[in-house]
Amino acid sequence: MPDPADSTGSQLILDILSDEGVDVVFGYPGGAIMPLYDALHRHSIRHILTRHEQAASFAAGGYARATGRVGVCMATSGPGATNLITGLLDAQMDSVPVVAITGQVRTPLMGTDAFQEADVTSIAAAATKRSVCVRDVTDLERALRAAFRVARGPRPGPVLVDVPQDVLKAACPRFNAFAARPIAVANERPGDAALSEAVELIRRAERPVAIVGGGARSANATQMFRELCALLELPHTATINGLGCAAPHDPRFLGMLGMHGWKAANLAVNSADLVLALGMRFDDRVTGRPDKFARNAVVVHADIDASEFNKVIPVRVALRGDLRHTLAHLLQRLAELEHRPRFSGWAAQAKALGGPLPADRTPQGELSATEVLDAFFAVAPDDAIVTTDVGQHQMWAAQRARASHPRNFLTSAGLGAMGFGVPAAMGAQLAFPERTVVAIVGDGGFQMSLPELATIKRYALPVKILLVDNRRLGMVRQWQELFYERRYSATDLSDNPDFVTIARGYDLRAERIDDAGEIRDALERFLVAREPRLLHCACFPAENVWPLIPPGATVADAMECRPGENLESEAIPA
Amino acid sequence: MTLALVLHDWRLVERIVGLTNRLGCALTRLDLHLRDRLYHATIDVTGPPDALRRLDAQLTRLLNDDKEMSR
Ligand SMILES: Cc1ncc(C[n+]2csc(CCOP(=O)(O)OP(=O)(O)O)c2C)c(N)n1
């Protein structure tokens, strides 16, 4: 029997983290959480000191997105805790398993406006699945175990556990690893009647389209999804979080769906008579006007979270359950059909609905961002993990990425949080030290994460940063151009600092290109290096993302070039 | 709409109020009783039918997490 009080709350937390499989945590110390950092000093768990707590929560999210395991971040009370919030909300929006541990002022001081006191459980409540404060060390293990269970699922997400300093210091019995294994989440599956109805709708369909989303990533259902598409020769598209689910080079993959999606994908969904929505949630960036979305289709919606059914789009059949099980059951039933439908003809038609991606032609001598990204994706290794920041470069990357797995393309999709790309890449690189990890960032978002160059340097993380610098807050500039009569309010960044000098200041290798002729060689040097690198691409400021379905509009209103211009811009082959 | 909810953690009332407000609905009654270590809440909410449906679904999700969190 362990001594009844030979441990502390802090020690217990770290022992439980280890037992839950955590090998790395991202964080930043401060007064209230000092006891935990003191215990960490002697513990085998690796701590990564970011240079801002927001980067710690983004990095934990990047680690979790890349691995499927729970990412952990920690911060002190008050400002440390509030700085985590954006990363937690990002994890909430994209269903990413993260546990945040925050220090809190001592329990007798709580509610007195004590130094660095923040009611973080209330602040975090709307940004997490749950946020709890543990006021008694005897409740610490139960609360932390529950936090990991809830973070993992059934639908993953962030949980915050706030621990007052006196609880971190309190004596408690040593943790008994053997007695305290986590409980597995039940494998839920849809009912037989719903499955039969779904199969019947598929059997009768003439123009079905599958839309796969981030739920397939969470459920590890990629392979099953590919089998379904292959079995039925089904045309399919993906939300931004579902990118990588389609089998590489599958000709029936129509590209990304939505506001900046491929024309064929949007038109195919628009003319579909059946939509199979698999682990996706009909975000407004996907549907545009919901009353006009897939108007001719009945919808079969498979999701682990029943609150998603009929939330935005009316559903004929709801398949609630773990997507892997749902797809396994569907596959089995479809394979047993005497006359199994095949949709190869329709798949070819669907593909032909759209042409190549439209792109702006940049003036002679100017570097085109889309040209840089086309070249990058042409040479990036198949198993590279690509993160993006938020803005035009994110959409250009999402349109072009040919990720071989949904855990290889990581982006702040639901929240669209600038500053995500670099720290998320750090998290992914720590999970996979041997793999190529590239953060594609804009000059705006990069400047929200600049301090993390110090983290990259300290831990010698070979993260590559591909900076698409258009000297503008490009996405906002594009909208000002198109929807605000070219009133460019607060989007000019033409006085940007010298990014190469900045990177060198952190003792990182950096290179700048501003000519198309330099792209290939620069990318080769960039990708071959086994060390962190910045490739600063000084791009033309006014290149736009096309296609664009204006907000609240339909696929019929899709813009492929500036109003008044012809679509004679250089087309990039599909 | 009247909903009878069982909470393990009474602090979830904060989220119920927050979600109701977020969805553009209004809370017109909230009773909370502790019975057998569980909190039994009865709430009356008014609002557009779509919003009420979404609220109901999101509260169900919240209560599932609450149950798991209290284990
Ligand atoms: C934290 C945060 N603040 C503001 C925004 C709004 N926003 C969306 S895209 C964008 C421009 C991003 O500019 P940049 O990082 O240079 O990327 P680009 O669009 O030029 O590729 C802004 C300001 C946001 N998404 N996130």
Side-chain angles (χ1 to χ4, degrees):
Chain A
M1 276 292 281
D3 185 309
D6 65 353
S7 190
T8 62
S10 296
Q11 186 65 41
L12 186 66
I13 289 175
L14 297 179
D15 290 344
I16 292 167
L17 293 186
S18 284
D19 193 59
E20 292 284 347
V22 176
D23 53 2
V24 59
V25 300
F26 304 88
Y28 207 97
I33 203 170
M34 279 179 71
L36 185 58
Y37 271 83
D38 191 45
L40 200 50
H41 193 61
R42 304 180 296 272
H43 204 276
S44 60
I45 288 185
R46 187 168 185 206
H47 176 267
I48 300 297
L49 176 71
T50 56
R51 291 305 192 272
H52 190 293
E53 290 87 352
Q54 177 175 289
S57 50
F58 280 150
Y63 175 96
R65 286 170 193 257
T67 59
R69 299 201 295 272
V70 178
V72 178
C73 55
M74 48 179 63
T76 196
S77 64
T82 56
N83 276 347
L84 291 179
I85 298 295
T86 304
L88 297 181
L89 185 56
D90 169 72
Q92 169 85 341
M93 295 289 267
D94 286 348
S95 305
V96 178
V98 169
V99 167
I101 297 168
T102 48
Q104 180 54 272
V105 301
R106 288 183 292 119
T107 44
L109 293 180
M110 286 172 69
T112 67
D113 298 327
F115 177 63
Q116 293 193 329
E117 178 178 4
D119 181 359
V120 68
T121 49
S122 287
I123 294 170
T128 54
K129 287 180 84 177
R130 278 306 296 270
S131 63
V132 293
C133 180
V134 181
R135 289 171 182 250
D136 186 332
V137 75
T138 60
D139 196 33
L140 192 52
E141 175 163 6
R142 189 206 57 74
L144 211 52
R145 295 284 184 196
F148 272 86
R149 275 201 312 275
V150 171
R152 285 194 184 107
R155 178 176 179 169
V159 178
L160 181 137
V161 182
D162 191 38
V163 192
Q165 197 196 44
D166 49 327
V167 177
L168 290 173
K169 284 182 173 169
C172 63
R174 187 183 290 277
F175 149 82
N176 182 351
F178 198 68
R181 285 277 147 213
I183 299 153
V185 177
N187 295 326
E188 296 172 272
R189 55 156 289 201
D192 285 330
L195 283 165
S196 301
E197 202 180 340
V199 168
E200 188 52 24
L201 286 172
I202 294 171
R203 209 180 55 75
R204 289 206 309 254
E206 289 175 5
R207 295 180 312 282
V209 177
I211 309 172
V212 66
R217 170 167 77 190
S218 301
N220 294 321
T222 304
Q223 194 48 39
M224 293 281 174
F225 172 70
R226 291 175 182 179
E227 283 175 31
L228 180 78
C229 295
L231 184 78
L232 301 177
E233 301 185 44
L234 187 64
H236 49 287
T237 169
T239 70
I240 188 165
N241 274 330
L243 291 174
C245 288
H249 315 297
D250 187 330
R252 293 161 295 231
F253 179 54
L254 305 172
M256 182 175 74
L257 184 67
M259 178 179 273
H260 291 296
W262 285 66
K263 191 174 176 182
N266 283 314
L267 286 176
V269 168
N270 199 43
S271 26
D273 62 355
L274 172 68
V275 163
L276 296 174
L278 307 172
M280 56 82 69
R281 60 182 176 81
F282 299 102
D283 182 275
D284 53 286
R285 285 297 192 261
V286 161
T287 60
R289 271 186 67 166
D291 57 328
K292 296 270 175 71
F293 177 79
R295 266 161 96 186
N296 307 311
V298 294
V299 177
V300 173
H301 190 179
D303 206 283
I304 190 69
D305 181 355
S307 77
E308 293 299 347
F309 299 137
N310 296 306
K311 187 178 81 175
V312 179
I313 296 290
V315 165
R316 174 75 66 84
V317 180
L319 299 172
R320 200 187 90 74
D322 179 301
L323 191 57
R324 205 150 47 105
H325 295 282
T326 302
L327 288 176
H329 284 283
L330 276 180
L331 273 167
Q332 190 189 352
R333 285 163 188 253
L334 288 163
E336 283 166 2
L337 286 182
E338 205 169 307
H339 300 291
R340 185 182 341 126
R342 288 175 190 279
F343 302 104
S344 52
W346 155 237
Q349 272 175 32
K351 189 89 183 177
L353 286 171
L357 268 181
D360 273 345
R361 197 185 357 223
T362 53
Q364 190 71 30
E366 295 273 5
L367 189 59
S368 148
T370 50
E371 221 178 308
V372 170
L373 290 172
D374 281 322
F376 168 75
F377 284 109
V379 296
D382 271 352
D383 72 338
I385 298 176
V386 172
T387 73
T388 78
D389 215 86
V390 172
Q392 290 182 308
H393 65 280
Q394 176 191 33
M395 291 300 119
W396 285 321
Q399 289 172 333
R400 288 160 175 80
R402 287 288 171 266
S404 56
H405 193 278
R407 297 200 183 284
N408 293 358
F409 186 79
L410 316 180
T411 192
S412 174
L415 189 61
M418 287 168 70
F420 171 90
V422 170
M426 297 179 341
Q429 188 78 78
L430 276 148
F432 296 104
E434 301 305 321
R435 284 171 64 183
T436 301
V437 177
V438 180
I440 300 176
V441 299
D443 44 314
F446 184 43
Q447 291 184 80
M448 290 195 182
S449 53
L450 276 180
E452 297 316 312
L453 295 182
T455 314
I456 288 173
K457 177 65 193 173
R458 169 175 291 190
Y459 300 101
L461 302 175
V463 166
K464 313 268 187 310
I465 300 168
L466 182 64
L467 170 59
V468 179
D469 172 16
N470 49 14
R471 286 165 286 140
R472 299 292 182 279
L473 295 173
M475 186 57 97
V476 182
R477 189 214 64 81
Q478 174 170 348
W479 281 46
Q480 289 172 337
E481 180 194 332
L482 298 174
F483 308 123
Y484 290 85
E485 294 165 346
R486 300 178 190 238
R487 289 186 295 277
Y488 296 118
S489 178
T491 47
D492 186 315
L493 298 184
S494 52
D495 53 355
N496 267 336
D498 178 345
F499 292 111
V500 167
T501 301
I502 287 181
R504 289 187 183 148
Y506 286 94
D507 197 18
L508 299 177
R509 295 266 210 126
E511 181 179 355
R512 174 189 159 112
I513 58 169
D514 46 21
D515 187 274
E518 300 170 292
I519 298 177
R520 257 191 51 189
D521 289 352
L523 277 174
E524 198 181 315
R525 285 191 292 278
F526 177 68
L527 285 169
V528 150
R530 284 302 304 154
E531 59 183 11
R533 289 246 175 174
L534 173 72
L535 179 57
H536 174 196
C537 306
C539 297
F540 178 62
E543 193 171 352
N544 281 343
V545 184
W546 310 114
L548 163 62
I549 300 177
T554 71
V555 58
D557 311 309
M559 303 167 70
E560 297 193 272
C561 58
R562 291 180 167 82
E565 271 184 6
N566 294 324
L567 182 58
E568 56 181 19
S569 48
E570 249 151 53
I572 294 161
Chain B
M1 170 172 82
T2 299
L3 291 176
L5 312 170
V6 180
L7 321 180
H8 291 74
D9 184 345
W10 58 269
R11 285 162 291 208
L12 275 192
V13 167
E14 189 181 0
R15 286 301 293 136
I16 295 172
V17 172
L19 279 170
T20 305
N21 177 45
R22 186 86 201 137
L23 285 162
C25 302
L27 197 60
T28 54
R29 179 169 70 114
L30 192 156
D31 292 330
L32 191 67
H33 299 285
L34 176 62
R35 205 166 56 234
D36 301 331
R37 303 178 66 194
L38 292 173
Y39 295 88
H40 296 262
T42 309
I43 60 170
D44 287 349
V45 191
T46 58
D50 262 6
L52 292 175
R53 195 170 38 71
R54 283 179 197 156
L55 179 65
D56 189 9
Q58 294 202 23
L59 290 177
T60 305
R61 178 168 83 175
L62 196 71
L63 296 188
N64 285 339
D65 289 341
D66 174 48
K67 199 166 149 190
E68 195 59 42
M69 206 62 202
S70 69
R71 278 214 289 132

